[in-house]
Amino acid sequence: MKTTQFKGVILDGHKGAAVEAPFDPSKRWGIPARALWRGRRGHAVRGRLNGVPFESFIVARSGRFWMPVDAKLQAAAKAWIGATVAVTVEPRLPQPGDAARVVPRRARS
């Protein structure tokens, strides 16, 4: 599958840090969104952020598409809130055992 490259700014929001993906993954890759956890659909992705490999997902929110960037990835990529980062992503197609894999929800404060 073809990779997609873009630059974005790491923003902090009520769901944690994320980078806006400037495209609709369903249209770009021709793959429908799938259930990630109860109540949330999106696209599992893998790629590189400032050259550091990662796995994450892209979800729609308010008509835009967002990729969460956890603190561990930020530290490894030496990129914090407000930093412009280089992102390369491709869809991570479902693998055997994915149905059993649970993406943890962020704890409410």
Side-chain angles (χ1 to χ4, degrees):
M1 185 96 10
K2 191 171 183 179
T3 60
T4 301
Q5 298 178 348
F6 62 93
K7 289 191 183 240
V9 176
I10 298 177
L11 301 174
D12 193 20
H14 71 284
K15 298 286 185 179
V19 172
E20 183 177 0
F23 62 95
D24 177 341
S26 293
K27 291 179 181 175
R28 171 75 50 96
W29 295 324
I31 301 169
R34 63 184 177 99
L36 298 171
W37 61 82
R38 194 171 118 192
R40 177 57 64 192
R41 298 181 61 76
H43 293 82
V45 296
R46 68 175 162 231
R48 294 185 171 273
L49 187 130
N50 282 354
V52 176
F54 70 89
E55 286 191 2
S56 187
F57 46 89
I58 296 176
V59 296
R61 183 174 299 280
S62 301
R64 294 157 71 180
F65 299 91
W66 299 93
M67 184 184 76
V69 180
D70 65 24
K72 186 176 177 181
L73 178 56
Q74 289 178 55
K78 296 180 175 56
W80 309 102
I81 302 300
T84 299
V85 293
V87 180
T88 301
V89 292
E90 65 183 8
R92 189 179 66 77
L93 300 176
Q95 304 293 315
D98 273 357
R101 191 176 297 169
V102 176
V103 178
R105 294 183 72 169
R106 183 174 171 198
R108 292 187 177 185
S109 4

